[in-house]
Amino acid sequence: MSIYIMTDIHGHYGAMRKMLEKIGFQAEDRLVCAGDYIDRGTESYEMLKWLEAPGENVVLIRGNHDQEFAYYVELLRRIFKAGNLDVEKRADLLTAYHGARQVSSYFDYYGTVGALIREKEVTFCQLARWAACIRNMPYFHEIQMHGRRCIIVHAGYIERKKFQQLQAMETEYTYDSPEEFFLKARDDAYMYGGVEHGMILAGHTPTTEWDEFPFNHGKAYRMYDEETDCVFYDLDCGYGFKEVSPEARLACLRLEDEKIFYIRE
């Protein structure tokens, strides 16, 4: 049995399937996905359908893009209620969608919800089912491997006791909760996060971005902190930006030997 880690698929369902073929993924293996299943790519619908029943050997962690999708659906629900609209009517769904766009300029920033409604004729009830799937996803998943605590999270991991000390530190961003750190931390994840004698496997920050700390020309970034004996991995190799970044890849790490597989198109 092998354990594989993948993250930041960003609406590229076909590439994910190619990766599973490349690694020879079997029923006895386990796949842990660290979030951001949608947006940017053209196959968010296929990814969301997959999220409904990925298989018993798949663990789904939520990412910030997934969380935002759930927020968008909640805003639509409130507009339906406030406007006494019928969730079964397509015309009312379009009315609610345009109302949400007026309420927030950030609503559906990547156009995913709008495309699902217009192109796939998705109903509000289907959107709500996907949002419920996302709300049921944990913020991180922990595995023991070779004597290390291996924590798979979308952006960064910090112990809750240590999070309470962040307010007294000079951080890149301000976080209202540990969960926000799990979803959005970038440099702070390396400076203040991690666990002693452990391993953190995350994504969120593309390694194709030259001005970001884990820049590595579209390959997985690995860092070792001697003080805490903690290994950090960034497995977001920028596949969500493959149309504009020639170095972009989709990465998948096999945990037992830390071998990394890539899909590049």
Short mmCIF file of all heavy atoms in Angstrom, two decimals, residues 31-70:
data_model
loop_
_atom_site.label_atom_id
_atom_site.label_comp_id
_atom_site.label_asym_id
_atom_site.label_seq_id
_atom_site.Cartn_x
_atom_site.Cartn_y
_atom_site.Cartn_z
N LEU A 31 -5.08 8.10 -1.34
CA LEU A 31 -4.80 9.41 -1.91
C LEU A 31 -5.32 10.48 -0.96
O LEU A 31 -6.48 10.44 -0.56
CB LEU A 31 -5.46 9.56 -3.28
CG LEU A 31 -5.38 10.94 -3.94
CD1 LEU A 31 -3.95 11.29 -4.31
CD2 LEU A 31 -6.29 10.99 -5.17
N VAL A 32 -4.47 11.43 -0.60
CA VAL A 32 -4.88 12.57 0.21
C VAL A 32 -4.73 13.82 -0.64
O VAL A 32 -3.63 14.14 -1.12
CB VAL A 32 -4.04 12.71 1.49
CG1 VAL A 32 -4.59 13.83 2.37
CG2 VAL A 32 -4.02 11.39 2.27
N CYS A 33 -5.83 14.53 -0.86
CA CYS A 33 -5.82 15.75 -1.66
C CYS A 33 -5.94 16.95 -0.74
O CYS A 33 -6.84 17.01 0.10
CB CYS A 33 -6.98 15.74 -2.66
SG CYS A 33 -6.83 14.48 -3.93
N ALA A 34 -5.03 17.91 -0.92
CA ALA A 34 -4.94 19.04 0.01
C ALA A 34 -5.63 20.30 -0.48
O ALA A 34 -5.18 21.41 -0.22
CB ALA A 34 -3.46 19.32 0.32
N GLY A 35 -6.74 20.14 -1.19
CA GLY A 35 -7.60 21.29 -1.46
C GLY A 35 -7.35 22.02 -2.76
O GLY A 35 -6.44 21.72 -3.53
N ASP A 36 -8.22 23.02 -3.01
CA ASP A 36 -8.27 23.81 -4.24
C ASP A 36 -8.51 22.90 -5.45
O ASP A 36 -7.69 22.79 -6.35
CB ASP A 36 -7.01 24.65 -4.42
CG ASP A 36 -7.05 25.93 -3.59
OD1 ASP A 36 -7.98 26.07 -2.77
OD2 ASP A 36 -6.17 26.78 -3.76
N TYR A 37 -9.71 22.32 -5.46
CA TYR A 37 -10.11 21.41 -6.53
C TYR A 37 -10.66 22.17 -7.73
O TYR A 37 -10.70 21.61 -8.83
CB TYR A 37 -11.19 20.46 -6.00
CG TYR A 37 -10.77 19.75 -4.73
CD1 TYR A 37 -11.14 20.23 -3.48
CD2 TYR A 37 -9.96 18.62 -4.79
CE1 TYR A 37 -10.73 19.61 -2.33
CE2 TYR A 37 -9.54 17.98 -3.63
CZ TYR A 37 -9.92 18.49 -2.39
OH TYR A 37 -9.49 17.87 -1.25
N ILE A 38 -11.09 23.40 -7.50
CA ILE A 38 -11.83 24.13 -8.54
C ILE A 38 -11.17 25.45 -8.88
O ILE A 38 -10.15 25.83 -8.31
CB ILE A 38 -13.28 24.38 -8.08
CG1 ILE A 38 -13.28 25.21 -6.78
CG2 ILE A 38 -14.02 23.07 -7.88
CD1 ILE A 38 -14.66 25.69 -6.36
N ASP A 39 -11.79 26.16 -9.85
CA ASP A 39 -11.36 27.48 -10.34
C ASP A 39 -10.14 27.36 -11.25
O ASP A 39 -9.37 26.41 -11.18
CB ASP A 39 -11.05 28.46 -9.20
CG ASP A 39 -12.26 28.79 -8.35
OD1 ASP A 39 -13.39 28.64 -8.85
OD2 ASP A 39 -12.08 29.20 -7.18
N ARG A 40 -10.00 28.37 -12.09
CA ARG A 40 -8.88 28.51 -13.04
C ARG A 40 -8.99 27.55 -14.23
O ARG A 40 -8.96 27.98 -15.36
CB ARG A 40 -7.53 28.38 -12.35
CG ARG A 40 -7.26 29.46 -11.33
CD ARG A 40 -5.76 29.61 -11.04
NE ARG A 40 -5.53 30.79 -10.23
CZ ARG A 40 -5.29 30.78 -8.92
NH1 ARG A 40 -5.22 29.62 -8.28
NH2 ARG A 40 -5.10 31.89 -8.26
N GLY A 41 -9.07 26.25 -14.01
CA GLY A 41 -9.20 25.30 -15.11
C GLY A 41 -10.62 25.23 -15.64
O GLY A 41 -11.54 25.84 -15.10
N THR A 42 -10.82 24.45 -16.70
CA THR A 42 -12.12 24.38 -17.37
C THR A 42 -12.97 23.20 -16.91
O THR A 42 -14.06 22.99 -17.44
CB THR A 42 -11.92 24.27 -18.89
OG1 THR A 42 -11.17 23.07 -19.19
CG2 THR A 42 -11.18 25.48 -19.44
N GLU A 43 -12.48 22.42 -15.93
CA GLU A 43 -13.20 21.21 -15.54
C GLU A 43 -13.59 21.22 -14.05
O GLU A 43 -13.54 20.20 -13.38
CB GLU A 43 -12.34 19.98 -15.84
CG GLU A 43 -12.03 19.82 -17.32
CD GLU A 43 -11.04 18.71 -17.60
OE1 GLU A 43 -9.98 18.67 -16.93
OE2 GLU A 43 -11.31 17.87 -18.47
N SER A 44 -14.03 22.38 -13.58
CA SER A 44 -14.49 22.47 -12.20
C SER A 44 -15.75 21.62 -11.99
O SER A 44 -15.93 21.03 -10.92
CB SER A 44 -14.78 23.93 -11.81
OG SER A 44 -13.57 24.65 -11.65
N TYR A 45 -16.60 21.56 -13.00
CA TYR A 45 -17.81 20.72 -12.89
C TYR A 45 -17.43 19.26 -12.67
O TYR A 45 -17.98 18.60 -11.78
CB TYR A 45 -18.66 20.86 -14.16
CG TYR A 45 -19.85 19.94 -14.21
CD1 TYR A 45 -21.00 20.22 -13.48
CD2 TYR A 45 -19.82 18.77 -14.98
CE1 TYR A 45 -22.10 19.36 -13.53
CE2 TYR A 45 -20.91 17.92 -15.03
CZ TYR A 45 -22.05 18.22 -14.30
OH TYR A 45 -23.13 17.36 -14.34
N GLU A 46 -16.49 18.76 -13.45
CA GLU A 46 -16.06 17.38 -13.32
C GLU A 46 -15.41 17.14 -11.96
O GLU A 46 -15.61 16.08 -11.34
CB GLU A 46 -15.09 17.02 -14.45
CG GLU A 46 -15.73 16.90 -15.81
CD GLU A 46 -16.01 18.22 -16.49
OE1 GLU A 46 -15.64 19.28 -15.93
OE2 GLU A 46 -16.60 18.22 -17.59
N MET A 47 -14.65 18.11 -11.48
CA MET A 47 -14.02 17.96 -10.17
C MET A 47 -15.07 17.91 -9.07
O MET A 47 -14.98 17.09 -8.15
CB MET A 47 -13.05 19.13 -9.90
CG MET A 47 -11.75 19.07 -10.68
SD MET A 47 -10.77 17.55 -10.44
CE MET A 47 -10.68 17.44 -8.65
N LEU A 48 -16.07 18.77 -9.14
CA LEU A 48 -17.11 18.80 -8.12
C LEU A 48 -17.93 17.51 -8.14
O LEU A 48 -18.29 16.99 -7.08
CB LEU A 48 -18.01 20.01 -8.33
CG LEU A 48 -17.38 21.37 -7.97
CD1 LEU A 48 -18.18 22.51 -8.57
CD2 LEU A 48 -17.26 21.53 -6.47
N LYS A 49 -18.20 16.98 -9.32
CA LYS A 49 -18.90 15.70 -9.40
C LYS A 49 -18.05 14.60 -8.75
O LYS A 49 -18.59 13.73 -8.04
CB LYS A 49 -19.18 15.35 -10.86
CG LYS A 49 -20.23 16.22 -11.54
CD LYS A 49 -21.63 15.96 -11.02
CE LYS A 49 -22.16 14.62 -11.47
NZ LYS A 49 -23.55 14.39 -10.99
N TRP A 50 -16.75 14.64 -8.96
CA TRP A 50 -15.85 13.65 -8.37
C TRP A 50 -15.83 13.76 -6.85
O TRP A 50 -15.76 12.75 -6.14
CB TRP A 50 -14.44 13.84 -8.94
CG TRP A 50 -13.43 12.89 -8.39
CD1 TRP A 50 -13.30 11.55 -8.65
CD2 TRP A 50 -12.39 13.20 -7.45
NE1 TRP A 50 -12.24 11.01 -7.96
CE2 TRP A 50 -11.66 12.00 -7.21
CE3 TRP A 50 -11.98 14.37 -6.81
CZ2 TRP A 50 -10.57 11.94 -6.35
CZ3 TRP A 50 -10.89 14.32 -5.96
CH2 TRP A 50 -10.20 13.13 -5.73
N LEU A 51 -15.93 14.99 -6.33
CA LEU A 51 -15.91 15.19 -4.88
C LEU A 51 -17.08 14.50 -4.18
O LEU A 51 -16.99 14.19 -3.00
CB LEU A 51 -15.96 16.69 -4.54
CG LEU A 51 -14.77 17.56 -4.95
CD1 LEU A 51 -14.96 18.98 -4.44
CD2 LEU A 51 -13.46 16.99 -4.45
N GLU A 52 -18.17 14.27 -4.91
CA GLU A 52 -19.34 13.65 -4.31
C GLU A 52 -19.05 12.22 -3.86
O GLU A 52 -19.57 11.78 -2.83
CB GLU A 52 -20.50 13.64 -5.30
CG GLU A 52 -21.03 15.00 -5.67
CD GLU A 52 -22.18 14.91 -6.66
OE1 GLU A 52 -22.89 13.89 -6.65
OE2 GLU A 52 -22.36 15.84 -7.47
N ALA A 53 -18.23 11.51 -4.61
CA ALA A 53 -17.93 10.12 -4.27
C ALA A 53 -16.55 9.75 -4.81
O ALA A 53 -16.43 9.02 -5.81
CB ALA A 53 -19.00 9.19 -4.85
N PRO A 54 -15.49 10.24 -4.19
CA PRO A 54 -14.14 9.99 -4.71
C PRO A 54 -13.62 8.59 -4.45
O PRO A 54 -12.63 8.16 -5.03
CB PRO A 54 -13.29 11.03 -3.97
CG PRO A 54 -14.01 11.21 -2.66
CD PRO A 54 -15.48 11.09 -3.00
N GLY A 55 -14.27 7.88 -3.52
CA GLY A 55 -13.82 6.54 -3.16
C GLY A 55 -13.39 6.49 -1.70
O GLY A 55 -12.95 7.49 -1.13
N GLU A 56 -13.51 5.31 -1.11
CA GLU A 56 -13.19 5.17 0.31
C GLU A 56 -11.70 5.35 0.60
O GLU A 56 -11.32 5.60 1.75
CB GLU A 56 -13.65 3.81 0.81
CG GLU A 56 -15.18 3.63 0.81
CD GLU A 56 -15.61 2.30 1.36
OE1 GLU A 56 -14.73 1.50 1.75
OE2 GLU A 56 -16.84 2.05 1.40
N ASN A 57 -10.86 5.20 -0.40
CA ASN A 57 -9.41 5.34 -0.19
C ASN A 57 -8.90 6.73 -0.53
O ASN A 57 -7.70 6.94 -0.74
CB ASN A 57 -8.65 4.29 -1.01
CG ASN A 57 -8.92 4.40 -2.50
OD1 ASN A 57 -9.90 5.01 -2.93
ND2 ASN A 57 -8.04 3.81 -3.29
N VAL A 58 -9.81 7.71 -0.59
CA VAL A 58 -9.44 9.10 -0.87
C VAL A 58 -9.84 9.98 0.31
O VAL A 58 -10.97 9.89 0.80
CB VAL A 58 -10.13 9.61 -2.16
CG1 VAL A 58 -9.78 11.08 -2.41
CG2 VAL A 58 -9.70 8.76 -3.36
N VAL A 59 -8.92 10.81 0.76
CA VAL A 59 -9.17 11.78 1.83
C VAL A 59 -9.13 13.17 1.22
O VAL A 59 -8.16 13.53 0.54
CB VAL A 59 -8.11 11.67 2.95
CG1 VAL A 59 -8.36 12.73 4.03
CG2 VAL A 59 -8.11 10.28 3.55
N LEU A 60 -10.18 13.94 1.43
CA LEU A 60 -10.30 15.28 0.86
C LEU A 60 -10.12 16.34 1.94
O LEU A 60 -10.86 16.37 2.92
CB LEU A 60 -11.65 15.47 0.19
CG LEU A 60 -12.00 14.48 -0.94
CD1 LEU A 60 -13.43 14.74 -1.42
CD2 LEU A 60 -11.02 14.61 -2.09
N ILE A 61 -9.13 17.21 1.76
CA ILE A 61 -8.89 18.35 2.64
C ILE A 61 -9.40 19.60 1.93
O ILE A 61 -9.28 19.72 0.71
CB ILE A 61 -7.38 18.50 2.93
CG1 ILE A 61 -6.77 17.17 3.37
CG2 ILE A 61 -7.12 19.59 3.96
CD1 ILE A 61 -7.34 16.60 4.62
N ARG A 62 -9.95 20.52 2.67
CA ARG A 62 -10.46 21.74 2.03
C ARG A 62 -9.35 22.75 1.79
O ARG A 62 -8.38 22.86 2.54
CB ARG A 62 -11.59 22.37 2.85
CG ARG A 62 -11.15 23.08 4.10
CD ARG A 62 -12.33 23.78 4.75
NE ARG A 62 -13.16 22.86 5.53
CZ ARG A 62 -14.30 23.22 6.13
NH1 ARG A 62 -14.76 24.45 6.01
NH2 ARG A 62 -14.99 22.34 6.83
N GLY A 63 -9.49 23.51 0.70
CA GLY A 63 -8.60 24.61 0.38
C GLY A 63 -9.35 25.92 0.41
O GLY A 63 -10.58 25.95 0.56
N ASN A 64 -8.65 27.02 0.24
CA ASN A 64 -9.31 28.33 0.32
C ASN A 64 -10.29 28.54 -0.84
O ASN A 64 -11.35 29.16 -0.66
CB ASN A 64 -8.28 29.45 0.38
CG ASN A 64 -7.38 29.52 -0.83
OD1 ASN A 64 -6.64 28.57 -1.11
ND2 ASN A 64 -7.41 30.62 -1.56
N HIS A 65 -9.98 28.03 -2.03
CA HIS A 65 -10.92 28.18 -3.14
C HIS A 65 -12.21 27.39 -2.90
O HIS A 65 -13.29 27.85 -3.26
CB HIS A 65 -10.27 27.72 -4.45
CG HIS A 65 -9.31 28.72 -5.02
ND1 HIS A 65 -9.57 29.46 -6.15
CD2 HIS A 65 -8.08 29.11 -4.60
CE1 HIS A 65 -8.56 30.26 -6.41
NE2 HIS A 65 -7.63 30.05 -5.48
N ASP A 66 -12.07 26.24 -2.29
CA ASP A 66 -13.25 25.42 -1.97
C ASP A 66 -14.10 26.09 -0.90
O ASP A 66 -15.33 26.13 -0.99
CB ASP A 66 -12.80 24.03 -1.51
CG ASP A 66 -11.66 23.51 -2.36
OD1 ASP A 66 -11.80 23.53 -3.60
OD2 ASP A 66 -10.62 23.12 -1.80
N GLN A 67 -13.42 26.63 0.11
CA GLN A 67 -14.12 27.35 1.18
C GLN A 67 -14.89 28.54 0.61
O GLN A 67 -16.03 28.79 1.00
CB GLN A 67 -13.10 27.83 2.22
CG GLN A 67 -13.70 28.56 3.40
CD GLN A 67 -13.77 27.70 4.63
OE1 GLN A 67 -14.23 26.56 4.57
NE2 GLN A 67 -13.30 28.22 5.73
N GLU A 68 -14.26 29.26 -0.31
CA GLU A 68 -14.93 30.42 -0.91
C GLU A 68 -16.17 29.99 -1.70
O GLU A 68 -17.19 30.67 -1.67
CB GLU A 68 -13.95 31.17 -1.81
CG GLU A 68 -12.90 31.93 -1.02
CD GLU A 68 -11.67 32.27 -1.84
OE1 GLU A 68 -11.68 32.03 -3.07
OE2 GLU A 68 -10.70 32.77 -1.24
N PHE A 69 -16.07 28.85 -2.39
CA PHE A 69 -17.23 28.32 -3.11
C PHE A 69 -18.39 28.09 -2.15
O PHE A 69 -19.55 28.45 -2.44
CB PHE A 69 -16.86 27.02 -3.81
CG PHE A 69 -17.99 26.36 -4.53
CD1 PHE A 69 -18.28 26.68 -5.86
CD2 PHE A 69 -18.79 25.40 -3.91
CE1 PHE A 69 -19.34 26.06 -6.53
CE2 PHE A 69 -19.84 24.78 -4.56
CZ PHE A 69 -20.11 25.11 -5.88
N ALA A 70 -18.10 27.50 -0.98
CA ALA A 70 -19.14 27.26 0.01
C ALA A 70 -19.74 28.57 0.51
O ALA A 70 -20.96 28.67 0.74
CB ALA A 70 -18.58 26.44 1.18
#
